[in-house]
PDB file of all heavy atoms in Angstrom:
ATOM      1  N   ALA A   1       0.879  -1.263  -0.018  1.00 98.00           N
ATOM      2  CA  ALA A   1      -0.007   0.035   0.036  1.00 98.00           C
ATOM      3  C   ALA A   1       0.839   1.241   0.013  1.00 98.00           C
ATOM      4  O   ALA A   1       0.657   2.165  -0.713  1.00 98.00           O
ATOM      5  CB  ALA A   1      -0.950   0.056   1.286  1.00 98.00           C
ATOM      6  N   GLU A   2       1.869   1.173   0.862  1.00 98.00           N
ATOM      7  CA  GLU A   2       2.801   2.422   0.821  1.00 98.00           C
ATOM      8  C   GLU A   2       3.495   2.507  -0.499  1.00 98.00           C
ATOM      9  O   GLU A   2       3.721   3.693  -0.963  1.00 98.00           O
ATOM     10  CB  GLU A   2       3.905   2.226   1.922  1.00 98.00           C
ATOM     11  CG  GLU A   2       4.838   3.488   1.955  1.00 98.00           C
ATOM     12  CD  GLU A   2       5.715   3.321   3.172  1.00 98.00           C
ATOM     13  OE1 GLU A   2       5.309   3.287   4.320  1.00 98.00           O
ATOM     14  OE2 GLU A   2       7.114   3.215   2.790  1.00 98.00           O
ATOM     15  N   GLN A   3       3.859   1.532  -1.167  1.00 98.00           N
ATOM     16  CA  GLN A   3       4.590   1.582  -2.469  1.00 98.00           C
ATOM     17  C   GLN A   3       3.672   2.248  -3.442  1.00 98.00           C
ATOM     18  O   GLN A   3       4.152   3.089  -4.403  1.00 98.00           O
ATOM     19  CB  GLN A   3       4.957   0.339  -3.025  1.00 98.00           C
ATOM     20  CG  GLN A   3       5.990   0.374  -4.196  1.00 98.00           C
ATOM     21  CD  GLN A   3       7.245   1.225  -3.923  1.00 98.00           C
ATOM     22  OE1 GLN A   3       7.889   0.974  -2.929  1.00 98.00           O
ATOM     23  NE2 GLN A   3       7.433   2.139  -4.845  1.00 98.00           N
ATOM     24  N   LYS A   4       2.325   1.898  -3.403  1.00 98.00           N
ATOM     25  CA  LYS A   4       1.477   2.515  -4.443  1.00 98.00           C
ATOM     26  C   LYS A   4       1.321   4.063  -4.283  1.00 98.00           C
ATOM     27  O   LYS A   4       1.371   4.813  -5.195  1.00 98.00           O
ATOM     28  CB  LYS A   4       0.003   1.872  -4.217  1.00 98.00           C
ATOM     29  CG  LYS A   4      -0.077   0.471  -4.835  1.00 98.00           C
ATOM     30  CD  LYS A   4      -1.505   0.163  -4.660  1.00 98.00           C
ATOM     31  CE  LYS A   4      -1.824  -1.395  -5.390  1.00 98.00           C
ATOM     32  NZ  LYS A   4      -3.268  -1.673  -5.295  1.00 98.00           N
ATOM     33  N   VAL A   5       1.422   4.447  -2.907  1.00 98.00           N
ATOM     34  CA  VAL A   5       1.330   5.914  -2.648  1.00 98.00           C
ATOM     35  C   VAL A   5       2.650   6.493  -3.210  1.00 98.00           C
ATOM     36  O   VAL A   5       2.692   7.557  -3.830  1.00 98.00           O
ATOM     37  CB  VAL A   5       1.175   6.140  -1.173  1.00 98.00           C
ATOM     38  CG1 VAL A   5       1.297   7.612  -0.917  1.00 98.00           C
ATOM     39  CG2 VAL A   5      -0.194   5.622  -0.792  1.00 98.00           C
ATOM     40  N   ARG A   6       3.836   5.858  -2.864  1.00 98.00           N
ATOM     41  CA  ARG A   6       5.123   6.355  -3.281  1.00 98.00           C
ATOM     42  C   ARG A   6       5.071   6.525  -4.799  1.00 98.00           C
ATOM     43  O   ARG A   6       5.590   7.578  -5.381  1.00 98.00           O
ATOM     44  CB  ARG A   6       6.197   5.466  -2.969  1.00 98.00           C
ATOM     45  CG  ARG A   6       6.501   5.543  -1.454  1.00 98.00           C
ATOM     46  CD  ARG A   6       7.615   4.549  -1.062  1.00 98.00           C
ATOM     47  NE  ARG A   6       7.987   4.620   0.349  1.00 98.00           N
ATOM     48  CZ  ARG A   6       8.735   5.484   1.042  1.00 98.00           C
ATOM     49  NH1 ARG A   6       9.308   6.511   0.282  1.00 98.00           N
ATOM     50  NH2 ARG A   6       9.035   5.533   2.332  1.00 98.00           N
ATOM     51  N   ASP A   7       4.581   5.505  -5.528  1.00 98.00           N
ATOM     52  CA  ASP A   7       4.631   5.647  -6.985  1.00 98.00           C
ATOM     53  C   ASP A   7       3.829   6.790  -7.518  1.00 98.00           C
ATOM     54  O   ASP A   7       4.134   7.504  -8.425  1.00 98.00           O
ATOM     55  CB  ASP A   7       4.041   4.408  -7.635  1.00 98.00           C
ATOM     56  CG  ASP A   7       4.978   3.120  -7.383  1.00 98.00           C
ATOM     57  OD1 ASP A   7       6.181   3.346  -7.074  1.00 98.00           O
ATOM     58  OD2 ASP A   7       4.531   1.960  -7.584  1.00 98.00           O
ATOM     59  N   ARG A   8       2.578   6.913  -6.954  1.00 98.00           N
ATOM     60  CA  ARG A   8       1.797   8.113  -7.435  1.00 98.00           C
ATOM     61  C   ARG A   8       2.364   9.419  -7.041  1.00 98.00           C
ATOM     62  O   ARG A   8       2.221  10.424  -7.828  1.00 98.00           O
ATOM     63  CB  ARG A   8       0.375   7.998  -6.846  1.00 98.00           C
ATOM     64  CG  ARG A   8      -0.413   6.801  -7.488  1.00 98.00           C
ATOM     65  CD  ARG A   8      -0.609   6.977  -8.922  1.00 98.00           C
ATOM     66  NE  ARG A   8      -0.870   5.788  -9.584  1.00 98.00           N
ATOM     67  CZ  ARG A   8      -2.191   5.506 -10.064  1.00 98.00           C
ATOM     68  NH1 ARG A   8      -3.205   6.389  -9.828  1.00 98.00           N
ATOM     69  NH2 ARG A   8      -2.456   4.398 -10.632  1.00 98.00           N
ATOM     70  N   LEU A   9       2.904   9.479  -5.905  1.00 98.00           N
ATOM     71  CA  LEU A   9       3.584  10.813  -5.477  1.00 98.00           C
ATOM     72  C   LEU A   9       4.658  11.193  -6.313  1.00 98.00           C
ATOM     73  O   LEU A   9       5.038  12.296  -6.675  1.00 98.00           O
ATOM     74  CB  LEU A   9       4.056  10.838  -4.026  1.00 98.00           C
ATOM     75  CG  LEU A   9       2.867  10.749  -2.944  1.00 98.00           C
ATOM     76  CD1 LEU A   9       3.449  10.821  -1.454  1.00 98.00           C
ATOM     77  CD2 LEU A   9       1.868  11.873  -3.095  1.00 98.00           C
ATOM     78  N   ALA A  10       5.523  10.101  -6.727  1.00 98.00           N
ATOM     79  CA  ALA A  10       6.611  10.288  -7.670  1.00 98.00           C
ATOM     80  C   ALA A  10       6.163  10.820  -9.017  1.00 98.00           C
ATOM     81  O   ALA A  10       6.807  11.724  -9.521  1.00 98.00           O
ATOM     82  CB  ALA A  10       7.364   8.982  -7.858  1.00 98.00           C
ATOM     83  N   ARG A  11       5.048  10.259  -9.447  1.00 98.00           N
ATOM     84  CA  ARG A  11       4.482  10.809 -10.672  1.00 98.00           C
ATOM     85  C   ARG A  11       4.063  12.171 -10.615  1.00 98.00           C
ATOM     86  O   ARG A  11       4.180  13.109 -11.481  1.00 98.00           O
ATOM     87  CB  ARG A  11       3.456   9.831 -11.269  1.00 98.00           C
ATOM     88  CG  ARG A  11       3.880   8.438 -11.563  1.00 98.00           C
ATOM     89  CD  ARG A  11       5.044   8.461 -12.457  1.00 98.00           C
ATOM     90  NE  ARG A  11       5.014   9.249 -13.630  1.00 98.00           N
ATOM     91  CZ  ARG A  11       6.145   9.694 -14.315  1.00 98.00           C
ATOM     92  NH1 ARG A  11       7.250   9.415 -13.940  1.00 98.00           N
ATOM     93  NH2 ARG A  11       5.864  10.483 -15.331  1.00 98.00           N
ATOM     94  N   LEU A  12       3.427  12.447  -9.489  1.00 98.00           N
ATOM     95  CA  LEU A  12       2.722  13.816  -9.271  1.00 98.00           C
ATOM     96  C   LEU A  12       4.009  14.827  -9.192  1.00 98.00           C
ATOM     97  O   LEU A  12       3.887  15.951  -9.716  1.00 98.00           O
ATOM     98  CB  LEU A  12       1.984  13.931  -8.017  1.00 98.00           C
ATOM     99  CG  LEU A  12       1.272  15.184  -7.636  1.00 98.00           C
ATOM    100  CD1 LEU A  12       0.314  15.562  -8.750  1.00 98.00           C
ATOM    101  CD2 LEU A  12       0.560  15.053  -6.331  1.00 98.00           C
ATOM    102  N   SER A  13       4.997  14.506  -8.438  1.00 98.00           N
ATOM    103  CA  SER A  13       6.093  15.303  -8.334  1.00 98.00           C
ATOM    104  C   SER A  13       6.910  15.585  -9.682  1.00 98.00           C
ATOM    105  O   SER A  13       7.248  16.821  -9.914  1.00 98.00           O
ATOM    106  CB  SER A  13       7.155  14.667  -7.317  1.00 98.00           C
ATOM    107  OG  SER A  13       8.382  15.380  -7.193  1.00 98.00           O
ATOM    108  N   ALA A  14       6.983  14.522 -10.401  1.00 98.00           N
ATOM    109  CA  ALA A  14       7.532  14.684 -11.797  1.00 98.00           C
ATOM    110  C   ALA A  14       6.770  15.701 -12.531  1.00 98.00           C
ATOM    111  O   ALA A  14       7.357  16.484 -13.273  1.00 98.00           O
ATOM    112  CB  ALA A  14       7.709  13.346 -12.537  1.00 98.00           C
ATOM    113  N   TRP A  15       5.431  15.612 -12.513  1.00 98.00           N
ATOM    114  CA  TRP A  15       4.571  16.465 -13.357  1.00 98.00           C
ATOM    115  C   TRP A  15       4.836  17.931 -12.766  1.00 98.00           C
ATOM    116  O   TRP A  15       4.927  18.893 -13.530  1.00 98.00           O
ATOM    117  CB  TRP A  15       3.088  16.179 -13.237  1.00 98.00           C
ATOM    118  CG  TRP A  15       2.267  17.205 -13.753  1.00 98.00           C
ATOM    119  CD1 TRP A  15       1.675  18.249 -13.109  1.00 98.00           C
ATOM    120  CD2 TRP A  15       1.905  17.375 -15.099  1.00 98.00           C
ATOM    121  NE1 TRP A  15       0.985  19.141 -13.957  1.00 98.00           N
ATOM    122  CE2 TRP A  15       1.095  18.552 -15.275  1.00 98.00           C
ATOM    123  CE3 TRP A  15       2.276  16.716 -16.296  1.00 98.00           C
ATOM    124  CZ2 TRP A  15       0.679  19.007 -16.443  1.00 98.00           C
ATOM    125  CZ3 TRP A  15       1.785  17.172 -17.492  1.00 98.00           C
ATOM    126  CH2 TRP A  15       0.875  18.361 -17.615  1.00 98.00           C
ATOM    127  N   LEU A  16       4.769  18.117 -11.452  1.00 98.00           N
ATOM    128  CA  LEU A  16       4.795  19.430 -10.847  1.00 98.00           C
ATOM    129  C   LEU A  16       6.155  20.153 -11.167  1.00 98.00           C
ATOM    130  O   LEU A  16       6.140  21.334 -11.636  1.00 98.00           O
ATOM    131  CB  LEU A  16       4.688  19.384  -9.250  1.00 98.00           C
ATOM    132  CG  LEU A  16       4.595  20.743  -8.660  1.00 98.00           C
ATOM    133  CD1 LEU A  16       3.424  21.504  -9.047  1.00 98.00           C
ATOM    134  CD2 LEU A  16       4.652  20.581  -7.218  1.00 98.00           C
ATOM    135  N   GLY A  17       7.221  19.304 -11.114  1.00 98.00           N
ATOM    136  CA  GLY A  17       8.507  19.925 -11.488  1.00 98.00           C
ATOM    137  C   GLY A  17       8.822  21.235 -10.529  1.00 98.00           C
ATOM    138  O   GLY A  17       8.730  21.262  -9.379  1.00 98.00           O
ATOM    139  N   GLU A  18       9.192  22.273 -11.161  1.00 98.00           N
ATOM    140  CA  GLU A  18       9.414  23.591 -10.617  1.00 98.00           C
ATOM    141  C   GLU A  18       8.177  24.450 -10.722  1.00 98.00           C
ATOM    142  O   GLU A  18       8.371  25.690 -10.346  1.00 98.00           O
ATOM    143  CB  GLU A  18      10.660  24.189 -11.359  1.00 98.00           C
ATOM    144  CG  GLU A  18      11.944  23.442 -11.106  1.00 98.00           C
ATOM    145  CD  GLU A  18      13.056  24.188 -11.722  1.00 98.00           C
ATOM    146  OE1 GLU A  18      12.907  25.232 -12.237  1.00 98.00           O
ATOM    147  OE2 GLU A  18      14.248  23.477 -11.506  1.00 98.00           O
ATOM    148  N   ARG A  19       7.124  24.034 -11.169  1.00 98.00           N
ATOM    149  CA  ARG A  19       5.957  24.933 -11.163  1.00 98.00           C
ATOM    150  C   ARG A  19       5.414  25.203  -9.812  1.00 98.00           C
ATOM    151  O   ARG A  19       5.646  24.368  -8.738  1.00 98.00           O
ATOM    152  CB  ARG A  19       4.644  24.006 -11.841  1.00 98.00           C
ATOM    153  CG  ARG A  19       4.909  23.720 -13.354  1.00 98.00           C
ATOM    154  CD  ARG A  19       3.590  23.034 -13.776  1.00 98.00           C
ATOM    155  NE  ARG A  19       3.578  22.700 -15.165  1.00 98.00           N
ATOM    156  CZ  ARG A  19       3.919  21.527 -15.640  1.00 98.00           C
ATOM    157  NH1 ARG A  19       4.308  20.467 -14.941  1.00 98.00           N
ATOM    158  NH2 ARG A  19       3.875  21.265 -16.966  1.00 98.00           N
ATOM    159  N   ASP A  20       4.723  26.303  -9.634  1.00 98.00           N
ATOM    160  CA  ASP A  20       4.096  26.649  -8.355  1.00 98.00           C
ATOM    161  C   ASP A  20       2.832  25.858  -8.242  1.00 98.00           C
ATOM    162  O   ASP A  20       2.424  25.525  -7.059  1.00 98.00           O
ATOM    163  CB  ASP A  20       3.770  28.181  -8.271  1.00 98.00           C
ATOM    164  CG  ASP A  20       4.977  28.974  -8.047  1.00 98.00           C
ATOM    165  OD1 ASP A  20       6.041  28.470  -7.686  1.00 98.00           O
ATOM    166  OD2 ASP A  20       4.945  30.156  -8.386  1.00 98.00           O
ATOM    167  N   TYR A  21       2.096  25.498  -9.250  1.00 98.00           N
ATOM    168  CA  TYR A  21       0.767  24.891  -9.252  1.00 98.00           C
ATOM    169  C   TYR A  21       0.736  23.882 -10.347  1.00 98.00           C
ATOM    170  O   TYR A  21       1.640  23.746 -11.281  1.00 98.00           O
ATOM    171  CB  TYR A  21      -0.293  25.831  -9.368  1.00 98.00           C
ATOM    172  CG  TYR A  21      -0.328  26.932  -8.331  1.00 98.00           C
ATOM    173  CD1 TYR A  21       0.126  28.240  -8.563  1.00 98.00           C
ATOM    174  CD2 TYR A  21      -0.718  26.614  -6.950  1.00 98.00           C
ATOM    175  CE1 TYR A  21       0.165  29.227  -7.582  1.00 98.00           C
ATOM    176  CE2 TYR A  21      -0.681  27.581  -5.971  1.00 98.00           C
ATOM    177  CZ  TYR A  21      -0.166  28.832  -6.275  1.00 98.00           C
ATOM    178  OH  TYR A  21      -0.212  29.870  -5.343  1.00 98.00           O
ATOM    179  N   LEU A  22      -0.301  23.038 -10.406  1.00 98.00           N
ATOM    180  CA  LEU A  22      -0.383  22.006 -11.329  1.00 98.00           C
ATOM    181  C   LEU A  22      -0.467  22.466 -12.757  1.00 98.00           C
ATOM    182  O   LEU A  22       0.071  21.771 -13.741  1.00 98.00           O
ATOM    183  CB  LEU A  22      -1.567  21.161 -10.980  1.00 98.00           C
ATOM    184  CG  LEU A  22      -1.502  20.327  -9.675  1.00 98.00           C
ATOM    185  CD1 LEU A  22      -2.907  19.669  -9.330  1.00 98.00           C
ATOM    186  CD2 LEU A  22      -0.434  19.227  -9.641  1.00 98.00           C
ATOM    187  N   GLU A  23      -1.002  23.549 -12.874  1.00 98.00           N
ATOM    188  CA  GLU A  23      -1.058  24.228 -14.211  1.00 98.00           C
ATOM    189  C   GLU A  23      -0.391  25.695 -14.054  1.00 98.00           C
ATOM    190  O   GLU A  23       0.455  25.715 -13.168  1.00 98.00           O
ATOM    191  CB  GLU A  23      -2.532  24.389 -14.734  1.00 98.00           C
ATOM    192  CG  GLU A  23      -3.174  22.959 -15.025  1.00 98.00           C
ATOM    193  CD  GLU A  23      -2.472  22.194 -16.142  1.00 98.00           C
ATOM    194  OE1 GLU A  23      -2.008  22.813 -17.154  1.00 98.00           O
ATOM    195  OE2 GLU A  23      -2.478  20.887 -16.094  1.00 98.00           O
ATOM    196  N   ASP A  24      -0.741  26.569 -14.800  1.00 97.00           N
ATOM    197  CA  ASP A  24      -0.130  27.894 -14.654  1.00 97.00           C
ATOM    198  C   ASP A  24      -0.537  28.893 -13.769  1.00 97.00           C
ATOM    199  O   ASP A  24      -0.077  29.947 -13.537  1.00 97.00           O
ATOM    200  CB  ASP A  24      -0.095  28.567 -16.198  1.00 97.00           C
ATOM    201  CG  ASP A  24      -1.539  28.828 -16.656  1.00 97.00           C
ATOM    202  OD1 ASP A  24      -2.425  28.527 -15.881  1.00 97.00           O
ATOM    203  OD2 ASP A  24      -1.630  29.453 -17.733  1.00 97.00           O
ATOM    204  N   ARG A  25      -1.581  28.320 -12.939  1.00 98.00           N
ATOM    205  CA  ARG A  25      -2.112  29.238 -11.853  1.00 98.00           C
ATOM    206  C   ARG A  25      -3.021  28.273 -10.917  1.00 98.00           C
ATOM    207  O   ARG A  25      -3.266  27.172 -11.309  1.00 98.00           O
ATOM    208  CB  ARG A  25      -3.107  30.275 -12.390  1.00 98.00           C
ATOM    209  CG  ARG A  25      -4.045  29.859 -13.397  1.00 98.00           C
ATOM    210  CD  ARG A  25      -5.229  30.696 -13.555  1.00 98.00           C
ATOM    211  NE  ARG A  25      -6.107  30.538 -12.336  1.00 98.00           N
ATOM    212  CZ  ARG A  25      -7.336  30.887 -12.299  1.00 98.00           C
ATOM    213  NH1 ARG A  25      -7.828  31.554 -13.298  1.00 98.00           N
ATOM    214  NH2 ARG A  25      -8.032  30.632 -11.257  1.00 98.00           N
ATOM    215  N   PHE A  26      -3.283  28.788  -9.667  1.00 98.00           N
ATOM    216  CA  PHE A  26      -4.017  28.090  -8.736  1.00 98.00           C
ATOM    217  C   PHE A  26      -5.385  27.790  -9.342  1.00 98.00           C
ATOM    218  O   PHE A  26      -6.173  28.783  -9.809  1.00 98.00           O
ATOM    219  CB  PHE A  26      -4.070  28.845  -7.461  1.00 98.00           C
ATOM    220  CG  PHE A  26      -5.016  28.127  -6.325  1.00 98.00           C
ATOM    221  CD1 PHE A  26      -4.328  27.207  -5.496  1.00 98.00           C
ATOM    222  CD2 PHE A  26      -6.272  28.444  -6.194  1.00 98.00           C
ATOM    223  CE1 PHE A  26      -5.160  26.518  -4.493  1.00 98.00           C
ATOM    224  CE2 PHE A  26      -7.060  27.782  -5.198  1.00 98.00           C
ATOM    225  CZ  PHE A  26      -6.512  26.938  -4.332  1.00 98.00           C
ATOM    226  N   THR A  27      -5.936  26.663  -9.159  1.00 98.00           N
ATOM    227  CA  THR A  27      -7.174  26.306  -9.600  1.00 98.00           C
ATOM    228  C   THR A  27      -7.989  25.322  -8.470  1.00 98.00           C
ATOM    229  O   THR A  27      -7.339  24.866  -7.599  1.00 98.00           O
ATOM    230  CB  THR A  27      -7.243  25.615 -11.016  1.00 98.00           C
ATOM    231  OG1 THR A  27      -6.832  24.264 -10.904  1.00 98.00           O
ATOM    232  CG2 THR A  27      -6.668  26.416 -12.073  1.00 98.00           C
ATOM    233  N   ALA A  28      -9.197  25.019  -8.839  1.00 98.00           N
ATOM    234  CA  ALA A  28      -9.835  23.873  -8.013  1.00 98.00           C
ATOM    235  C   ALA A  28      -9.146  22.582  -8.003  1.00 98.00           C
ATOM    236  O   ALA A  28      -9.160  21.844  -7.069  1.00 98.00           O
ATOM    237  CB  ALA A  28     -11.267  23.635  -8.465  1.00 98.00           C
ATOM    238  N   GLY A  29      -8.310  22.397  -9.100  1.00 98.00           N
ATOM    239  CA  GLY A  29      -7.498  21.094  -9.107  1.00 98.00           C
ATOM    240  C   GLY A  29      -6.506  21.130  -7.993  1.00 98.00           C
ATOM    241  O   GLY A  29      -6.213  20.040  -7.235  1.00 98.00           O
ATOM    242  N   ASP A  30      -5.883  22.370  -7.822  1.00 98.00           N
ATOM    243  CA  ASP A  30      -4.886  22.382  -6.699  1.00 98.00           C
ATOM    244  C   ASP A  30      -5.601  22.303  -5.310  1.00 98.00           C
ATOM    245  O   ASP A  30      -4.917  21.629  -4.285  1.00 98.00           O
ATOM    246  CB  ASP A  30      -4.121  23.781  -6.861  1.00 98.00           C
ATOM    247  CG  ASP A  30      -3.387  23.972  -8.079  1.00 98.00           C
ATOM    248  OD1 ASP A  30      -2.381  23.105  -8.239  1.00 98.00           O
ATOM    249  OD2 ASP A  30      -3.733  24.710  -8.933  1.00 98.00           O
ATOM    250  N   LEU A  31      -6.703  22.849  -5.183  1.00 98.00           N
ATOM    251  CA  LEU A  31      -7.432  22.833  -3.874  1.00 98.00           C
ATOM    252  C   LEU A  31      -7.633  21.422  -3.517  1.00 98.00           C
ATOM    253  O   LEU A  31      -7.468  20.900  -2.457  1.00 98.00           O
ATOM    254  CB  LEU A  31      -8.750  23.584  -4.020  1.00 98.00           C
ATOM    255  CG  LEU A  31      -9.739  23.621  -2.930  1.00 98.00           C
ATOM    256  CD1 LEU A  31     -10.732  24.974  -3.083  1.00 98.00           C
ATOM    257  CD2 LEU A  31     -10.569  22.441  -2.642  1.00 98.00           C
ATOM    258  N   MET A  32      -8.164  20.570  -4.599  1.00 98.00           N
ATOM    259  CA  MET A  32      -8.469  19.159  -4.250  1.00 98.00           C
ATOM    260  C   MET A  32      -7.185  18.397  -3.916  1.00 98.00           C
ATOM    261  O   MET A  32      -7.102  17.489  -3.077  1.00 98.00           O
ATOM    262  CB  MET A  32      -9.297  18.613  -5.316  1.00 98.00           C
ATOM    263  CG  MET A  32     -10.757  19.078  -5.481  1.00 98.00           C
ATOM    264  SD  MET A  32     -11.836  18.678  -4.108  1.00 98.00           S
ATOM    265  CE  MET A  32     -11.993  16.925  -4.438  1.00 98.00           C
ATOM    266  N   MET A  33      -6.173  18.644  -4.689  1.00 98.00           N
ATOM    267  CA  MET A  33      -4.931  17.846  -4.605  1.00 98.00           C
ATOM    268  C   MET A  33      -4.308  18.121  -3.276  1.00 98.00           C
ATOM    269  O   MET A  33      -3.811  17.242  -2.623  1.00 98.00           O
ATOM    270  CB  MET A  33      -4.012  18.125  -5.666  1.00 98.00           C
ATOM    271  CG  MET A  33      -2.839  17.106  -5.813  1.00 98.00           C
ATOM    272  SD  MET A  33      -3.331  15.377  -6.172  1.00 98.00           S
ATOM    273  CE  MET A  33      -3.661  15.658  -7.955  1.00 98.00           C
ATOM    274  N   THR A  34      -4.397  19.341  -2.797  1.00 98.00           N
ATOM    275  CA  THR A  34      -3.776  19.687  -1.549  1.00 98.00           C
ATOM    276  C   THR A  34      -4.494  18.954  -0.501  1.00 98.00           C
ATOM    277  O   THR A  34      -3.795  18.485   0.521  1.00 98.00           O
ATOM    278  CB  THR A  34      -3.787  21.275  -1.330  1.00 98.00           C
ATOM    279  OG1 THR A  34      -3.064  21.898  -2.386  1.00 98.00           O
ATOM    280  CG2 THR A  34      -3.219  21.632   0.030  1.00 98.00           C
ATOM    281  N   THR A  35      -5.849  18.867  -0.500  1.00 98.00           N
ATOM    282  CA  THR A  35      -6.545  18.136   0.586  1.00 98.00           C
ATOM    283  C   THR A  35      -6.233  16.716   0.609  1.00 98.00           C
ATOM    284  O   THR A  35      -6.257  16.038   1.556  1.00 98.00           O
ATOM    285  CB  THR A  35      -8.137  18.322   0.453  1.00 98.00           C
ATOM    286  OG1 THR A  35      -8.518  17.865  -0.775  1.00 98.00           O
ATOM    287  CG2 THR A  35      -8.417  19.827   0.499  1.00 98.00           C
TER     288      THR A  35
END
C-alpha cells in the first residue's frame, strides 16, 4: 500500500517539477490535490 502511494507521489512530483501549481495558476484542481 505504501509503495502504491510512493509511485503516485513520484509521478505527481515529476509533473509538478518547478511549477508553483499543477497548471499555470491556482485552480480547484490544486485545492482538491492539496486536501
Side-chain angles (χ1 to χ4, degrees):
E2 181 178 295
Q3 189 59 50
K4 284 186 177 181
V5 174
R6 287 181 181 278
D7 291 345
R8 289 302 164 98
L9 292 183
R11 296 312 312 160
L12 184 63
S13 174
W15 170 267
L16 184 65
E18 297 182 0
R19 295 182 177 93
D20 284 342
Y21 302 106
L22 295 171
E23 296 294 326
D24 59 358
R25 45 154 289 194
F26 179 86
T27 72
D30 298 293
L31 182 157
M32 291 293 290
M33 192 64 74
T34 299
T35 65

